[in-house]
Amino acid sequence: MSRVLRVLLLGCSGLALVFGLFWMQHGSLPLSDKFAAQGGPVSDDEGFIEALAPQIVEYEVQPGDTLEAIAQQFGIPLEALVGSNAQALDDLHGVEPGTVLKIVKNGVLHAVKRGQTLTDIARTYGVSLTEIVWANRLEDREHIYPGEEFFIPGARVSPVFTYLQMAGGKKSFFAWPVRGVLSSGFGPRVHPISGEPDFHQGIDIEIPEGTDVYASCAGRVIVAGRHSGYGLYIVIEHSNGYRTLYGHLSEVGVYRGQFVEGGQVIGRSGNTGNSTGPHLHFEILQYGRPLNPLALLPP
Ligand SMILES: [Zn+2]
């Protein structure tokens, strides 16, 4: 079977193409050139940079290809393949022939979202900021732009992959924060503790204590703390006036002000606050008004 494989970018020179304009705007030089210009130690640092440098090739999807088969063919994790091609892929179950995918070894490519900093990105992938700066030969780490792509060296987890999985395989605005049995729906009910009439502002999903909880959509953490009713809880602000709330957690893994990706682990489920058993209480609000999450979440 003939495969169309185009080797475009190899090694360090690849990023020079991708980020050349950025460097020119900011007057940066590749670090090795700078060291050379200063007569500094070149060889050791070059070795270090080489180890972090991305290897990127492009592959045009052929009829009959699956994402799993492509990942296997190039010897990279499926998660990394999906993560590096977040813009081109919107369905885990299929990919259109003719789509050009980036095959990235030893890491993933990340496209910056509005409001996201390099520190946020480093936290999302569990990679050090220094490694991202070195791998992308960045001098000006303060000015990054939405849509700009960075290589995340050594990244294994991809929130993009988890996000698509939790959305049932297809892109959607909100993905499930956990998967479990729905134990209480949205709307009027008798409160399980007080026995009084009550309006349930979210849904309850029964899950064992300590289950990973994922951000339902990308956004900025505006609350990461404790509440008498919600217990340990997190609120994330998204676009279009949306907020999501995650209650009764056992652990909070993010801080106020942090930008998180959809599908990123933000904490662990628990039974804290006004709760009758281990579950996640999940709310979606728009401009402060609680909405029925089941109407907005994928099946
Ligand atoms: Zn609840």
Side-chain angles (χ1 to χ4, degrees):
M1 188 188 297
S2 79
R3 302 262 176 192
V4 181
L5 169 63
R6 284 181 291 156
V7 181
L8 285 189
L9 311 169
L10 274 174
C12 295
S13 57
L15 272 196
L17 288 173
V18 176
F19 297 116
L21 187 60
F22 178 73
W23 285 334
M24 277 156 60
Q25 280 170 350
H26 294 266
S28 313
L29 275 174
L31 285 176
S32 55
D33 293 358
K34 283 187 63 189
F35 281 125
Q38 291 160 5
V42 171
S43 54
D44 286 357
D45 293 299
E46 273 196 339
F48 178 56
I49 292 169
E50 208 62 51
L52 292 175
Q55 293 174 33
I56 306 168
V57 299
E58 287 192 349
Y59 174 76
E60 191 178 315
V61 176
Q62 303 296 295
D65 272 348
T66 64
L67 291 173
E68 288 81 0
I70 296 168
Q72 199 172 25
Q73 183 187 339
F74 288 98
I76 62 173
L78 177 61
E79 281 204 355
L81 177 67
V82 172
S84 295
N85 293 280
Q87 320 273 23
L89 296 177
D90 55 10
D91 190 345
L92 280 182
H93 305 302
V95 56
E96 284 289 311
T99 306
V100 176
L101 297 177
K102 291 171 190 146
I103 310 293
V104 184
K105 300 241 171 170
N106 305 321
V108 304
L109 279 182
H110 175 89
V112 176
K113 293 209 166 77
R114 190 167 299 283
Q116 198 169 33
T117 67
L118 276 182
T119 305
D120 295 324
I121 297 170
R123 283 202 48 113
T124 292
Y125 289 93
V127 169
S128 83
L129 180 59
T130 312
E131 279 180 317
I132 295 177
V133 168
W134 278 68
N136 294 279
R137 302 183 165 201
L138 262 179
E139 264 210 343
D140 184 355
R141 62 179 73 177
E142 300 302 325
H143 299 94
I144 64 172
Y145 306 99
E148 200 177 346
E149 282 189 322
F150 289 99
F151 175 62
I152 316 298
R156 304 211 153 271
V157 291
S158 167
V160 176
F161 182 77
T162 310
Y163 183 68
L164 281 172
Q165 269 194 323
M166 297 306 277
K170 269 198 162 116
K171 241 175 214 173
S172 94
F173 194 81
F174 293 107
W176 287 86
V178 293
R179 287 279 191 184
V181 175
L182 188 78
S183 55
S184 181
F186 175 86
R189 66 169 183 179
V190 174
H191 194 276
I193 292 175
S194 69
E196 301 286 321
D198 176 44
F199 190 89
H200 195 213
Q201 294 210 3
I203 54 172
D204 293 342
I205 307 166
E206 226 176 271
I207 33 162
E209 192 154 345
T211 303
D212 282 344
V213 175
Y214 305 108
S216 172
C217 177
R220 185 170 306 284
V221 176
I222 55 168
V223 178
R226 196 178 285 275
H227 178 274
S228 59
Y230 292 129
L232 277 178
Y233 77 123
I234 295 168
V235 182
I236 304 174
E237 189 160 64
H238 314 286
S239 54
N240 303 330
Y242 283 115
R243 288 179 178 184
T244 50
L245 182 149
Y246 313 75
H248 311 308
L249 304 174
S250 62
E251 227 178 291
V252 168
V254 290
Y255 52 85
R256 190 164 173 257
Q258 185 181 347
F259 187 100
V260 294
E261 282 290 329
Q264 177 174 340
V265 176
I266 53 169
R268 297 218 160 75
S269 69
N271 190 24
T272 56
N274 212 350
S275 173
T276 52
H279 74 279
L280 177 76
H281 170 87
F282 177 64
E283 293 182 13
I284 299 179
L285 304 110
Q286 192 176 31
Y287 300 116
R289 201 166 65 91
L291 304 174
N292 186 355
L294 296 184
L296 296 162
L297 287 167

